[in-house]
Amino acid sequence: MALFNRKNTNAASTTATLAVDPALAALTGDYVIDPAHSSIGFTVRHAMVTNVRGSFGEHEGSLQLDGAAPANSAASIDVKIASIDTGIADRDGHLVSGDFFDAEKFPVMSFRSTSAEQLGGDTYRVTGDLTIKDVTRPLAIDLEFNGSATDVYGNERVGFEGSADILRSDWGLTWNAALETGGVMVSDKVKLNFDISAIKAAPQG
């Protein structure tokens, strides 16, 4: 089911895109990300030999899905840096310090979408601006649409999961330590992971 803008290669496909799928149109509306059933995390190489995984326990966001004009769909997410959790308190403390995120001065990491397109099937690419500390740079996130459902409480839900690779140095996260055997303590490459469940908001008015 196409939620975003489908790439077209000819006039026939353009015409087909304009025919709105009733199931897609039914998803049109504003959604609030459910933090209790969503996760935003990361994976980074540690000491050249293993991966460290972490997540941010506090985040909020919204989706605006437009079934009649999917290219108008949008997403926004705000993440509280101080909620970082890698399972080791001392490491978390280092990550929120001035060596890394400097959470006291820059408490929020944010993403604001600028465009979206279908890559094929239920896979999409959402492009937008990611802000970490005082640096804003473009980021493309590849997402899979997991479907829609009405839960036992009557909430209409949609689900997405996906990831994006970044170089943390692009956002000013440059702290590192050299290893005696060569290489560095923390890789520059970081994988961001998204598992999103969002609830449709009641119509206003």
Side-chain angles (χ1 to χ4, degrees):
M1 181 183 297
L3 281 180
F4 299 111
N5 186 37
R6 183 187 297 274
K7 288 185 175 180
N8 300 308
T9 57
N10 54 51
S13 61
T14 300
T15 302
T17 300
L18 296 177
V20 178
D21 182 341
L24 171 60
L27 297 180
T28 296
D30 296 331
Y31 292 75
V32 177
I33 293 176
D34 177 9
H37 297 94
S38 302
S39 64
I40 298 175
F42 60 90
T43 305
V44 62
R45 183 75 72 179
H46 176 262
M48 309 295 291
V49 297
T50 190
N51 289 319
V52 167
R53 293 174 174 83
S55 61
F56 296 93
E58 296 182 39
H59 52 82
E60 61 183 17
S62 63
L63 308 175
Q64 296 82 44
L65 303 182
D66 189 332
N72 293 331
S73 297
S76 65
I77 300 174
D78 291 316
V79 176
K80 187 175 180 181
I81 295 297
S83 70
I84 197 168
D85 181 7
T86 65
I88 297 178
D90 286 347
R91 180 165 59 204
D92 296 342
H94 190 198
L95 288 170
V96 301
S97 75
D99 282 345
F100 285 95
F101 286 104
D102 197 357
E104 184 173 347
K105 187 175 181 181
F106 304 103
V108 175
M109 172 175 63
S110 66
F111 176 79
R112 299 290 183 270
S113 69
T114 55
S115 66
E117 61 183 2
Q118 185 184 26
L119 300 180
D122 285 333
T123 303
Y124 303 87
R125 177 166 293 158
V126 178
T127 301
D129 295 323
L130 175 66
T131 300
I132 302 176
K133 299 175 75 171
D134 56 351
V135 179
T136 299
R137 294 179 60 88
L139 174 69
I141 305 171
D142 288 350
L143 295 167
E144 180 178 354
F145 175 51
N146 288 337
S148 61
T150 301
D151 66 22
V152 295
Y153 303 105
N155 298 312
E156 296 181 60
R157 290 180 178 268
V158 293
F160 298 88
E161 63 179 316
S163 62
D165 291 333
I166 68 170
L167 298 178
R168 61 188 179 89
S169 59
D170 287 343
W171 279 267
L173 303 176
T174 57
W175 182 92
N176 228 322
L179 302 175
E180 291 184 5
T181 53
V184 292
M185 180 69 73
V186 185
S187 69
D188 193 16
K189 181 180 178 181
V190 180
K191 173 173 281 189
L192 302 178
N193 304 303
F194 304 87
D195 197 343
I196 302 297
S197 179
I199 299 172
K200 193 173 187 178
Q204 299 296 316

